[in-house]
Amino acid sequence: MLYREAGDYKTSYTDDAQTFPIKLDRWWYYAVVFVAFCIVPFVLTDYTVNAIMLPFLIFAIAALGLNILTGYCGQVSLGTGGFMAVGAYATYKLMTAFPDLNIFFIVILSGLITAIVGVLFGLPSLRIKGFYLAVATLAAQFFLVWLFNKVPWFYNNSASGQISAPERTIFGQAVTGPNAEPWVAYLFCLIFVFTLAWLTRNLTRGRIGRSWMAIRDMDIAAEIIGVNPLRTKLSAFAVSSFFIGISGSLFFAVYLGAAEVGEAFGIQKSFLVLFMVIIGGLGSIFGAFAGAAFMVLLPVFLKIFFVDTLGWPTDIAAHINFLIAGGLIVFFLIVEPHGLAALWRTVKEKLRLWPFPH
Amino acid sequence: MNDMNHDSYVTPDGRTIGPVMMEVQNITLRFGGVVAIKDISFDIREGEIRAIIGPNGAGKSSMLNVINGFYHPQEGGIYFRGEKRGPMKPYQIAQQGIARTFQNIALFKGMSTLDNIMTGRFTHMKAPVWKQALWHGEAEREEIENREVVEKIIDFLEIQAIRKTPVGRLPYGLQKRVELGRALAAEPKLLLLDEPMAGMNVEEKEDMSRFILDVNDEFGTTIALIEHDMGVVMDISDRVVVLDYGRKIGDGTPAEVIANPEVIDAYLGVSHD
Ligand SMILES: Nc1ncnc2c1ncn2[C@@H]1O[C@H](COP(=O)(O)OP(=O)(O)OP(=O)(O)O)[C@@H](O)[C@H]1O
Ligand SMILES: [Mg+2]
């Protein structure tokens, strides 16, 4: 048998509630963490870091964040790009105002600031739902981009209207700025991804996670068991925006180095992250990673195949990218709302009993 | 309140019924021109099983919605354990110890049986969010303690086999049972059941009646239930309120109520399902 849970008995509720109840899954998880922390940093090249690893890690954080709000709590948001911008501009302002403050804390503070902004924009969610809430968050997206463009204070009156990240170090290693080594940038982001994924797991398996899902599945029933709808929705907005703010902070400071708000954090980013969550699987942590990996890798593979191998023009490859992503969105929305994560689960369920299906 | 309300008495089957727990006073509820409830008063005593019956559209579900705060009556008031209740939200009323089930099942479709019932423990869990996020001492301990309570409810309702099944996949009768489990998990003082046996076959109804009697007997939970099946009502309830077109037309023991001419008229004169 390739994959089994037979004979893997649980003797306590602690065992039963653990993250990877099946032994083989647990080993896989340890292996992935080991490779990510101890092997990948040594084999990275500039290209793999910039084209694949950093975007994957940073968008995985955003996808985890949006998944908390949309996948777990059922509140649709099209404001992800705007909230990433809040994280980025908070980071810029903090970096320039407090040059001695450690970049690690700046990233976390930026997440907290974004959480507060997210709660403000989440307030209408008590009264409006679904489509209307999506439109309200879309308004937030446009408002935030407009704000960061219009008010020179946010970009310290720079002539270009851009923000750029000065060099900051941790243990003497540059994390931001042109001198940052690929492996340092990678490890810095990886630590955030690892910690935030672990926090998501804990939150979603406990009381607050159940209250999010209760609001998502049947809000009146949630209320009659004592769940305060406004507080619950706002807590989802807060946690989600915290994640998205961190993602925006890293995207600007570690990945881009310099950014212009409309280009870096426009509505396309909101859709990109939403697509990651839908394709990966609503309400699944694994799904957030799968979706982020898919949306980051797809254009890379298409470019290698169509442009580098077949010699087609780049814009055709880009169009094919849209076609595939769009087609998959429609497919998943209609056929499998739980995305790649659910397909993976089905495969596992088949393997679990193999070769003795019942 | 008169003195009688403070008395306790013992039923023929040996259960003690205490003083008045909830008093519903002169409630009137209108939706635009429709009067769903018209000047209704009745009380529910500690430890009793109180049935609310009446033809379709009589205002029974609306009455439960008033009690747990979904509807706000234009007139009248509700006293809970002697105190007049101010304007409260449904979740605050839940925190007071009132739980319910719905006429149309309202489970959390995306969650397993276990998680649905665990969610019912919401008001009993207190660990702050940051401890939950870190799965730190208190949060983990609380999770395990509450899981133990939930497992007892699962055993009590005999649904061990569907513990991990997403509730959306369960047959109707089992969904009703899980919904009862979720309400029980709150360890309510007052449990409101809106047609817990609707759409069930005879065997399922017998199981459900037994669970209701056992809950009342073993945990001392006060129960108010809406039910159309008169046989069941006669069997399990201590007292019955009869509603018709939003008015109260009868109130008393099952035997008194079925001897009441107005009740007989309402039931013979109105078609119901
Ligand atoms: N939210 C609402 N808006 C408007 N009218 C309502 C609303 N809820 C109930 N009503 C009306 O109030 C009256 C009583 O309805 P209710 O659901 O309480 O009846 P019921 O006794 O529970 O009936 P059934 O046995 O069919 O469940 C009906 O005329 C119904 O149309
Ligand atoms: Mg009803």
Side-chain angles (χ1 to χ4, degrees):
Chain A
M1 277 187 249
L2 291 176
Y3 182 84
R4 50 180 290 164
E5 65 176 339
D8 203 352
Y9 294 111
K10 301 294 169 296
T11 50
S12 75
Y13 298 138
T14 324
D15 281 357
D16 197 38
Q18 64 193 349
T19 307
F20 299 102
I22 299 173
K23 233 184 217 149
L24 198 67
D25 279 344
R26 216 146 53 228
W27 290 341
W28 262 113
Y29 166 75
Y30 293 138
V32 168
V33 171
F34 177 78
V35 170
F37 275 97
C38 305
I39 296 185
V40 174
F42 297 103
V43 298
L44 283 172
T45 63
D46 265 0
Y47 173 76
T48 47
V49 164
N50 288 319
I52 299 171
M53 281 327 225
L54 287 186
F56 164 66
L57 292 176
I58 290 168
F59 281 109
I61 295 176
L64 279 172
L66 185 63
N67 216 345
I68 286 174
L69 185 65
T70 305
Y72 285 96
C73 197
Q75 312 297 303
V76 185
S77 167
L78 291 174
T80 312
F83 293 127
M84 285 177 77
V86 175
Y89 279 77
T91 299
Y92 176 66
K93 291 300 291 184
L94 289 168
M95 280 175 110
T96 48
F98 306 100
D100 295 329
L101 190 57
N102 191 303
I103 180 71
F104 181 78
F105 295 113
I106 288 184
V107 173
I108 291 178
L109 279 176
S110 305
L112 291 175
I113 291 169
T114 314
I116 294 169
V117 176
V119 167
L120 288 179
F121 283 102
L123 282 171
S125 67
L126 181 67
R127 295 257 171 257
I128 54 178
K129 291 180 189 168
F131 175 72
Y132 297 96
L133 182 62
V135 173
T137 56
L138 192 63
Q141 163 74 41
F142 285 114
F143 170 75
L144 289 168
V145 168
W146 172 84
L147 182 73
F148 292 129
N149 244 329
K150 270 287 166 271
V151 183
W153 180 80
F154 286 114
Y155 46 88
N156 289 357
N157 304 305
S158 78
S160 62
Q162 282 204 335
I163 53 173
S164 59
E167 179 170 301
R168 292 289 179 267
T169 57
I170 290 183
F171 303 126
Q173 294 285 348
V175 177
T176 61
N179 299 322
E181 298 266 357
W183 68 271
V184 181
Y186 166 83
L187 270 186
F188 187 69
C189 292
L190 182 65
I191 287 167
F192 278 100
V193 169
F194 179 79
T195 313
L196 292 173
W198 177 72
L199 292 180
T200 311
R201 169 62 192 154
N202 289 342
L203 286 171
T204 53
R205 67 174 156 164
R207 175 185 194 249
I208 191 168
R210 284 190 298 267
S211 71
W212 289 337
M213 292 185 273
I215 288 286
R216 172 195 70 191
D217 285 349
M218 185 66 74
D219 51 1
I220 53 161
E223 267 189 86
I224 55 111
I225 53 177
V227 175
N228 177 339
L230 182 62
R231 248 172 79 174
T232 306
K233 286 177 188 173
L234 290 185
S235 71
F237 269 97
V239 176
S240 162
S241 306
F242 175 70
F243 281 49
I244 292 170
I246 287 182
S247 152
S249 167
L250 295 173
F251 191 61
F252 154 67
V254 179
Y255 180 65
L256 293 177
E260 192 277 319
V261 63
E263 202 180 307
F265 302 108
I267 180 75
Q268 314 88 288
K269 286 294 182 304
S270 298
F271 280 114
L272 179 66
V273 179
L274 185 63
F275 290 174
M276 288 173 178
V277 172
I278 293 173
I279 289 178
L282 289 160
S284 154
I285 294 172
F286 171 76
F289 284 99
F294 185 85
M295 292 300 284
V296 167
L297 287 175
L298 183 64
V300 174
F301 282 133
L302 291 178
K303 181 171 171 300
I304 291 173
F305 183 70
F306 288 108
V307 182
D308 302 350
T309 312
L310 298 181
W312 291 15
T314 10
D315 57 334
I316 301 235
H319 289 150
I320 295 175
N321 187 19
F322 282 130
L323 278 178
I324 296 180
L328 280 174
I329 298 288
V330 173
F331 168 80
F332 279 121
L333 283 180
I334 294 173
V335 181
E336 181 49 86
H338 297 290
L340 291 172
L343 294 184
W344 173 235
R345 208 173 305 133
T346 315
V347 171
K348 283 209 300 191
E349 264 163 32
K350 295 257 151 67
L351 280 179
R352 195 174 276 193
L353 300 165
W354 190 87
F356 306 115
H358 50 190
Chain B
M1 277 187 225
N2 58 39
D3 275 351
M4 208 204 96
N5 288 343
H6 298 284
D7 290 346
S8 299
Y9 68 94
V10 178
T11 61
D13 54 342
R15 287 153 48 245
T16 305
I17 305 292
V20 169
M21 167 188 266
M22 172 168 281
E23 183 149 4
V24 174
Q25 263 187 9
N26 305 99
I27 297 282
T28 297
L29 174 73
R30 284 183 289 267
F31 296 104
V34 181
V35 184
I37 299 176
K38 194 161 183 252
D39 195 25
I40 289 186
S41 305
F42 65 95
D43 59 25
I44 302 170
R45 286 168 166 272
E46 306 266 359
E48 83 175 335
I49 300 182
R50 186 74 147 128
I52 302 174
I53 66 169
N56 291 123
K60 307 180 296 294
S61 297
S62 301
M63 195 68 234
L64 292 198
N65 284 333
V66 167
I67 294 177
N68 81 350
F70 278 125
Y71 292 166
H72 302 283
Q74 279 77 13
E75 283 158 45
I78 290 182
Y79 293 78
F80 186 61
R81 297 202 157 151
E83 273 179 52
K84 181 155 182 174
R85 202 166 79 182
M88 284 168 90
K89 295 255 162 54
Y91 72 87
Q92 294 168 318
I93 292 171
Q95 287 160 3
Q96 277 200 333
I98 300 180
R100 75 172 280 186
T101 65
F102 292 87
Q103 185 167 354
N104 307 311
I105 298 168
L107 284 172
F108 306 126
K109 287 268 156 45
M111 298 158 78
S112 65
T113 297
L114 179 65
D115 279 339
N116 266 274
I117 302 179
M118 273 300 273
T119 313
R121 296 295 298 164
F122 187 80
T123 53
H124 294 264
M125 299 176 78
K126 299 282 178 278
V129 172
W130 69 268
K131 284 192 180 173
Q132 296 176 52
L134 301 178
W135 208 246
H136 174 80
E138 184 188 350
E140 188 181 10
R141 205 166 49 240
E142 191 175 73
E143 193 76 16
I144 291 165
E145 284 164 8
N146 284 283
R147 173 77 188 269
E148 282 162 5
V149 177
V150 166
E151 286 295 336
K152 286 198 189 106
I153 291 168
I154 287 176
D155 288 344
F156 172 78
L157 294 173
E158 297 158 15
I159 47 178
Q160 298 90 339
I162 56 162
R163 202 188 262 116
K164 296 281 171 80
T165 314
V167 291
R169 286 197 214 151
L170 297 175
Y172 180 83
L174 279 179
Q175 291 198 13
K176 282 259 179 201
R177 213 184 275 193
V178 174
E179 205 190 7
L180 175 64
R182 184 180 67 192
L184 288 178
E187 294 179 48
K189 299 173 184 119
L190 174 61
L191 175 61
L192 311 170
L193 304 172
D194 196 344
E195 306 201 14
M197 289 165 239
M200 287 187 167
N201 62 34
V202 176
E203 201 179 321
E204 287 171 326
K205 279 188 184 180
E206 276 171 9
D207 282 341
M208 189 54 92
S209 302
R210 182 165 52 83
F211 292 135
I212 292 171
L213 288 171
D214 285 351
V215 168
N216 175 259
D217 203 27
E218 285 178 30
F219 312 125
T221 310
T222 306
I223 296 172
L225 82 155
I226 297 175
E227 185 46 56
H228 277 296
D229 185 324
M230 284 304 274
V232 171
V233 171
M234 294 297 127
D235 276 352
I236 69 174
S237 56
D238 296 303
R239 287 190 304 155
V240 186
V241 183
V242 192
L243 307 186
D244 187 25
Y245 288 114
R247 290 175 312 119
K248 181 167 108 170
I249 57 170
D251 190 351
T253 63
E256 284 165 11
V257 159
I258 46 167
N260 178 335
E262 219 181 329
V263 174
I264 296 170
D265 275 359
Y267 266 83
L268 294 179
V270 182
S271 69
H272 51 96
D273 60 7

